[in-house]
Amino acid sequence: MFIVPLALTIYAFIDCLNTTEEDTKHLPKIAWVFIILLFWIVGPVVWLVAGKNRHHRSGGAGPASWQRRGRQQWVAPDDNPDFLKSLKDERDAEAEEERGRRDGGTAPDDKTPPAS
C-alpha cells in the first residue's frame, strides 16, 4: 500500500518538472510541484488529470510530430547534404592541387620556390 502512492508521486513529480511552463494549466509550475509533494495521494492525481495540457492524436499525426515541435533533428553525417558537399569540394580541391603538381606547375600552397 505504500509503494503505489509513492510511485505515483514520483512519476507526477518528474512529469511536472519535465513539462514546460506553457504546457501547465491553471497554476504556475512551482505551485504544481508543491501540490504534488504536499498532498501525497491527491496531488499527483490532480496533476495527471488537470495540471498539464495533454496532446491528443488528431488528423493522423503521430506523437513524433508534437514531441519534436521546435526541435532540430540531428542528421548523420552520411545523410547530411551540406557535409557531403563539403567533402566533395575538399576532394576536388585536392585533385586540382595534385593535377597542378603533376603538370609541373606549382600549387598555391606549395612551399618550394620555382626552379630557375
Side-chain angles (χ1 to χ4, degrees):
M1 264 340 220
F2 180 72
I3 294 174
V4 173
L6 180 64
L8 181 66
T9 302
I10 291 171
Y11 174 78
F13 179 69
I14 292 172
D15 187 42
C16 182
L17 290 179
N18 288 332
T19 302
T20 62
E21 193 70 43
E22 294 83 31
D23 285 340
T24 56
K25 293 192 309 188
H26 307 295
L27 294 172
K29 188 173 169 178
I30 191 72
W32 281 113
V33 169
F34 284 122
I35 289 171
I36 291 168
L37 295 177
L38 291 177
F39 302 104
W40 201 54
I41 296 173
V42 177
V45 171
V46 172
W47 163 255
L48 293 174
V49 171
K52 179 179 179 181
N53 285 330
R54 304 287 176 186
H55 300 281
H56 300 286
R57 287 185 177 181
S58 60
S65 64
W66 52 262
Q67 285 177 345
R68 269 189 269 134
R69 75 187 145 157
R71 233 190 310 165
Q72 190 174 18
Q73 187 177 7
W74 182 82
V75 178
D78 57 343
D79 292 336
N80 187 340
D82 295 331
F83 178 73
L84 294 175
K85 183 180 180 310
S86 72
L87 286 179
K88 183 180 181 292
D89 293 345
E90 187 177 312
R91 234 180 317 152
D92 291 345
E94 288 174 359
E96 184 69 33
E97 185 178 316
E98 184 62 32
R99 263 188 253 118
R101 282 195 204 125
R102 265 189 280 138
D103 294 341
T106 58
D109 60 347
D110 207 356
K111 303 278 191 270
T112 59
S116 41

